[in-house]
Amino acid sequence: MQQARDATSGVVVARRLRCADTHWTRLFGLLGTKDLPSGDGLWLKRSRQVHMIGMRYPIDIAFLDDRLQILRTISALPPGTISPRVAGATSVLELPAGTLAETGLKEGARVEIEGDVERPRGHTGALATALSNVALAALYVFFASAHFEFARRTGQWRTAMPIVVLEAMLVFVALTRRRSLGTSARATDWAIGVVGAFLPLLLRPGEGPGPLA
């Protein structure tokens, strides 16, 4: 179990700190919980803004940079609101309302986080991953069936079947893809992923006889 403390005063601000370091755990955060017990906290990595949509209770917020220095704090952020986007922040501490005042944690202080990582419990992230995998597989099934039907109708099997085989492989990959342990925030990584995933969908067999016909 991780815990967070004020590096200067040594005061512990969260004795039971859980880590949200994937897209889905950051997105859902504390949603579905009735309260955040005293001494608990959630550390959202790769985040500079939080939302309180669907929350039932207010929380204290501390925005940290990559050295875990506090750039900004918000006390008792109410449900249904969205925090400002804090430039330079790379992670966020979510704490029970009143923790900042009780511990004296202020902007400019540095936080120390130690201990073993514990991630939020629940199956929300796994369910979301499974649903996205099925949706992606269904998309590739649609294109594979369309290309197969084209080959059956025109007889251009040697032209269309490599595309069908490729799309069938992508269906298998989508259905067996495991839940990611981390999500890149770099735009180039997302661009490569999107192009690599959807570029094959632009391949279309021609109507006329090709060089392999």
Side-chain angles (χ1 to χ4, degrees), residues 46-192:
R46 298 187 297 278
S47 179
R48 62 182 62 180
Q49 184 179 37
V50 297
H51 75 85
M52 297 289 288
I53 308 301
M55 288 286 291
R56 305 179 184 179
Y57 53 90
I59 57 175
D60 285 356
I61 303 291
F63 295 90
L64 313 176
D65 64 12
D66 55 2
R67 297 179 301 169
L68 301 184
Q69 185 172 6
I70 299 177
L71 301 178
R72 181 170 180 176
T73 61
I74 301 177
S75 297
L77 185 65
T81 60
I82 300 177
S83 77
R85 180 183 293 269
V86 178
T90 57
S91 64
V92 179
L93 277 181
E94 296 186 345
L95 304 166
T99 300
L100 294 176
E102 180 181 344
T103 61
L105 197 63
K106 299 179 180 179
E107 296 176 8
R110 192 174 66 84
V111 176
E112 288 182 345
I113 296 178
E114 54 190 18
D116 297 328
V117 174
E118 179 176 337
R119 292 178 172 82
R121 298 177 181 177
H123 304 286
T124 304
L127 177 60
T129 299
L131 291 176
S132 64
N133 288 354
V134 171
L136 186 60
L139 180 65
Y140 283 119
V141 166
F142 170 78
F143 281 97
S145 61
H147 288 139
F148 183 85
E149 175 60 24
F150 172 85
R152 188 191 64 80
R153 178 168 48 85
T154 63
Q156 297 186 36
W157 294 100
R158 287 187 294 177
T159 301
M161 284 309 294
I163 301 177
V164 174
V165 171
L166 173 62
E167 290 165 341
M169 292 173 59
L170 292 174
V171 170
F172 175 79
V173 170
L175 291 177
T176 58
R177 183 172 66 100
R178 292 184 294 180
R179 183 180 176 185
S180 63
L181 298 178
T183 303
S184 173
R186 294 187 297 181
T188 53
D189 292 344
W190 279 89
I192 292 172

